[in-house]
Amino acid sequence: MARLPFFGGDTGRRIAEADSVAVIGLGRFGSSLALELMAAGTEVLGIDVDEDLVQALNGRLTQVVRADSTNEEALRQLAVDEFDRVVVAIGGEISASILTCSVLLGMGIPVIWAKVADDRHGLILEQLGVHHVIYPEKEMGRRVAHLVRGAALDYIEVDPGYALVKASAPVMLVGKRLGDTGLRVAYDVTVAAFKRADGEWRNADADTVLHTGDTILVVGPTASAESFAQLR
Ligand code: ATP
């Protein structure tokens, strides 16, 4: 394959040496991930076959290149094989996602993250050996279900069966040392942090005394953390 006209592997190598990630597929998911990485100070090499998407992100990522990621030679020319972390954000075109992951695994990329469209797609990538398979629609749907059904202000299931829930401090905790509330025994949860109405998040400990209007982060088994978030 001819060398790409506006991008040399040297640039890719320079990016790969920094705190950097290659993001392949710059649709809604890939572009938002890439821009968030840039905002957090991580250098990003973005790759997509779609020229319009590449143009739209030009200047907003460290480097954006039009290439077909199923083509190993093209990826090597971009020095993708020198990256420690690569994200494959191709959900809809399952064959392109599988081929791309297979090429990256063959190159020995240490950590590959891949977004999938459904369970079947996810299973194939897991069987291939992709290190982190993400199911954005499924995970977001489950998360929103917990928000819709309860009083939680936010909810993250850290692992199946264990959750972190953001909630308003229930009246029964207000004005007492957390260490004197018997919370862990009675509810099987821990208050990990709290925020005053006009303040910042602070770690909670046994001496923390919550005020009316505080927001808390509760961790514990999912059912316990969720029921606790319902308390008023
Ligand atoms: P979104 O993130 O928008 O939900 P999606 O999950 O529907 O995307 P696709 O639209 O299939 O996934 O792919 C995401 C991006 O990946 C698209 O911008 C597409 O051009 C790009 N893409 C697909 N195949 C390849 C390929 N072989 N090489 C590089 N980029 C590709």
Side-chain angles (χ1 to χ4, degrees):
M1 195 187 107
R3 204 168 177 82
L4 292 155
F6 55 97
F7 184 89
D10 290 348
T11 314
R13 263 182 285 285
R14 188 193 62 71
I15 301 172
E17 279 165 13
D19 169 29
S20 60
V21 175
V23 179
I24 299 174
L26 299 170
R28 291 163 301 175
F29 182 88
S31 58
S32 114
L33 180 133
L35 290 167
E36 191 69 16
L37 285 169
M38 290 293 293
T42 298
E43 298 220 31
V44 176
L45 166 63
I47 298 170
D48 201 292
V49 272
D50 185 324
E51 181 65 38
D52 291 340
L53 284 176
V54 169
Q55 290 298 338
L57 286 168
N58 195 20
R60 300 173 71 198
L61 305 182
T62 313
Q63 189 66 251
V64 203
V65 183
R66 182 177 170 274
D68 178 353
S69 59
T70 62
N71 181 332
E72 178 170 351
E73 179 55 25
L75 293 188
R76 287 195 185 276
Q77 286 208 16
L78 300 173
V80 171
D81 52 325
E82 297 191 18
F83 280 71
D84 292 333
R85 292 170 293 176
V86 179
V87 179
V88 181
I90 305 173
E93 295 184 41
I94 296 187
S95 59
S97 159
I98 294 169
L99 284 169
T100 301
C101 288
S102 164
V103 167
L104 295 170
L105 286 162
M107 285 174 166
I109 303 293
V111 183
I112 301 171
W113 294 76
K115 155 199 162 134
V116 295
D118 56 38
D119 289 349
R120 194 177 51 117
H121 182 187
L123 181 65
I124 296 169
L125 295 196
E126 278 166 20
Q127 285 170 340
L128 268 181
V130 170
H131 313 97
H132 300 279
V133 177
I134 27 182
Y135 301 77
E137 280 89 3
K138 193 172 156 187
E139 282 160 14
M140 186 53 91
R142 289 180 60 194
R143 180 159 172 233
V144 172
H146 288 274
L147 297 179
V148 168
R149 74 179 282 274
L153 303 173
D154 210 343
Y155 169 96
I156 296 170
E157 196 160 34
V158 181
D159 254 332
Y162 201 81
L164 174 74
V165 178
K166 179 173 151 191
S168 304
V171 174
M172 53 166 271
L173 293 188
V174 170
K176 295 182 196 148
R177 275 181 78 251
L178 281 179
D180 296 335
T181 58
L183 198 60
R184 289 188 180 156
V185 175
Y187 294 95
D188 197 17
V189 295
T190 297
V191 174
F194 67 103
K195 189 170 85 151
R196 294 270 123 86
D198 55 353
E200 307 221 319
W201 282 102
R202 270 177 273 170
N203 292 336
D205 57 30
D207 291 325
T208 300
V209 176
L210 296 175
H211 296 180
T212 303
D214 284 358
T215 307
I216 54 175
L217 279 186
V218 181
V219 290
T222 304
S224 309
E226 255 199 307
S227 345
F228 188 77
Q230 315 279 342
L231 297 176
R232 285 281 145 260

